[in-house]
Amino acid sequence: DAKTTQPNSMESNEEEPVHLPCNHSTISGTDYIHWYRQLPSQGPEYVIHGLTSNVNNRMASLAIAEDRKSSTLILHRATLRDAAVYYCILRGYGGSQGNLIFGKGTKLSVKP
Amino acid sequence: DTGVSQDPRHKITKRGQNVTFRCDPISEHNRLYWYRQTLGQGPEFLTYFQNEAQLEKSRLLSDRFSAERPKGSFSTLEIQRTEQGDSAMYLCASSLGAGQNEKLFFGSGTQLSVL
């Protein structure tokens, strides 16, 4: 499975936008980009996913580069509750379809 | 819909003892996953079920680990002869299994401490 690279940590101020980057230079044409987040003492939580086009939902936006070698998760207005570890994961076709492979993610801190 | 439920939330055991964890997935979810997470690391895949069939097992899942999902509903994960290296958070997740659009719903996990 293709790997992703994320910064270990990022900081944000409350009510400001946050852009969480992810590099996936070895992505294949059929890999979907998934984002999960994990709040303290909880299991991971699905955030958003996409293939080629930018995606929006109530939680966040996903901006995918034209060459698909990178993507950015955008939280439009960070709240204290958004402090979590954010994981960028590639979900491929074939091979190990049955599982998500998590890296270490980006730990986001939100300051009041 | 109460989400994915795991029991117990915490388990402390002595090395060499057997432990069993239970996971109740979201009803009608046909896929069920087990992951393990140690401090500072992302979750690591252990195994998953499609209904009652165990379809994939990680090389992390040694012979001391066994998972079952007898009726395609709840699942159990048993660890025999526990070792200190088994100390971790054990996470369960379920999904409707929609291929690359699949969304996993995780429980809050069982924290295992082996003394």
Side-chain angles (χ1 to χ4, degrees):
Chain A
D1 291 304
K3 292 187 176 178
T4 63
T5 305
Q6 300 178 253
N8 290 332
S9 62
M10 291 184 64
E11 277 190 355
S12 172
N13 294 317
E14 196 176 11
E15 298 190 4
E16 289 186 356
V18 181
H19 290 233
L20 296 162
C22 181
N23 288 319
H24 28 78
S25 58
T26 59
I27 191 170
S28 76
T30 55
D31 286 340
Y32 278 69
I33 302 158
H34 287 245
W35 284 81
Y36 282 73
R37 71 179 186 180
Q38 188 170 20
L39 302 170
S41 302
Q42 295 188 25
E45 170 187 36
Y46 167 82
V47 177
I48 200 166
H49 77 284
L51 181 62
T52 55
S53 304
N54 295 343
V55 184
N56 299 294
N57 66 21
R58 65 174 181 81
M59 289 180 70
S61 296
L62 176 60
I64 301 172
E66 198 170 331
D67 64 4
R68 300 207 330 121
K69 293 184 184 299
S70 67
S71 60
T72 302
L73 180 71
I74 302 166
L75 307 179
H76 295 286
R77 285 185 66 205
T79 68
L80 296 178
R81 196 191 171 275
D82 292 321
V85 178
Y86 287 78
Y87 298 100
C88 170
I89 302 163
L90 299 184
R91 191 66 188 277
Y93 179 80
S96 292
Q97 291 190 62
N99 71 85
L100 295 175
I101 298 176
F102 289 80
K104 290 188 177 182
T106 296
K107 184 175 183 178
L108 175 67
S109 302
V110 180
K111 295 185 288 185
Chain B
D1 181 358
T2 57
V4 177
S5 176
Q6 292 190 246
D7 184 68
R9 286 297 309 274
H10 303 275
K11 179 70 176 177
I12 300 174
T13 191
K14 292 183 180 179
R15 189 176 51 182
Q17 298 293 305
N18 299 344
V19 293
T20 300
F21 310 139
R22 178 180 169 120
C23 172
D24 287 273
I26 293 171
S27 60
E28 299 180 358
H29 276 193
N30 54 3
R31 283 197 174 185
L32 187 147
Y33 296 78
W34 286 99
Y35 282 78
R36 180 174 69 185
Q37 186 174 27
T38 53
L39 200 61
Q41 305 295 316
E44 296 174 295
F45 169 75
L46 292 178
T47 187
Y48 91 97
F49 294 83
Q50 175 91 15
N51 299 313
E52 65 273 11
Q54 189 172 16
L55 294 188
E56 190 174 344
K57 290 195 288 187
S58 163
R59 280 168 281 182
L60 292 174
L61 209 66
S62 76
D63 292 344
R64 297 183 298 104
F65 287 70
S66 62
E68 293 183 342
R69 194 182 183 199
K71 296 182 180 178
S73 57
F74 74 92
S75 176
T76 58
L77 177 68
E78 181 183 18
I79 309 174
Q80 296 183 325
R81 305 181 303 282
T82 53
E83 302 173 357
Q84 287 185 326
D86 297 331
S87 295
M89 174 73 79
Y90 290 83
L91 293 161
C92 175
S94 70
S95 81
L96 288 170
Q100 291 156 284
N101 290 303
E102 180 180 14
K103 301 175 189 175
L104 269 60
F105 294 82
F106 284 82
S108 295
T110 294
Q111 181 67 52
L112 173 66
S113 298
V114 182
L115 306 178

